[in-house]
């Protein structure tokens, strides 16, 4: 039980992880409004669907890369790895 609480506390203290998940959730939530404007009807299926605009995968890796850069520094190897990952996902999304 103690290990579980420590694990949950460490996950919620991991700001790059939180930033990535928030980017994903915000992008998924914005899809409802984007397609409401585009199709003139609400479709909650877009909350769980992958693909489309805005790209939740792109938002996730962009949030991760920025948070890693802010926390670890923009000159670190960890930031370079996260930028390369983000570049591959963004290229694939385009």
């Amino acid at each position: 039980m103690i290990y579980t609480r420590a694990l949950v506390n460490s996950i919620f203290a991991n700001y790059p992880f939180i930033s990535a998940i928030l980017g994903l959730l915000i992008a998924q939530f914005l899809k409802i409004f984007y397609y409401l404007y585009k199709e003139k009807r609400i479709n909650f299926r877009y909350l769980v669907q992958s693909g489309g605009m805005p790209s939740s995968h792109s938002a996730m890796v962009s949030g991760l890369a920025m948070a890693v850069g802010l926390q670890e520094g923009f000159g670190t190897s960890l930031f370079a790895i996260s930028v390369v990952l983000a570049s591959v996902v963004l290229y694939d999304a385009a």
Side-chain angles (χ1 to χ4, degrees):
M1 180 70 176
I2 294 173
Y3 296 115
T4 306
R5 185 174 295 147
L7 177 65
V8 170
N9 288 340
S10 67
I11 288 174
F12 287 114
N14 189 337
Y15 298 115
F17 178 74
I18 292 171
S19 177
I21 297 300
L22 267 172
L24 173 88
L25 293 175
I26 290 169
Q28 286 295 109
F29 185 71
L30 287 175
K31 283 182 185 183
I32 292 176
F33 296 108
Y34 176 79
Y35 287 105
L36 172 65
Y37 177 76
K38 191 173 179 182
E39 299 173 356
K40 306 293 189 238
R41 64 185 177 93
I42 289 182
N43 189 350
F44 289 106
R45 234 183 302 173
Y46 290 116
L47 275 175
V48 293
Q49 252 178 353
S50 65
M53 180 66 188
S55 172
S56 55
H57 297 91
S58 297
M60 181 184 239
V61 294
S62 297
L64 176 68
M66 186 58 143
V68 166
L70 290 172
Q71 184 172 343
E72 303 295 327
F74 292 100
T76 61
S77 298
L78 193 55
F79 177 68
I81 292 168
S82 62
V83 167
V84 169
L85 171 70
S87 300
V88 169
V89 172
L90 290 168
Y91 179 78
D92 190 47

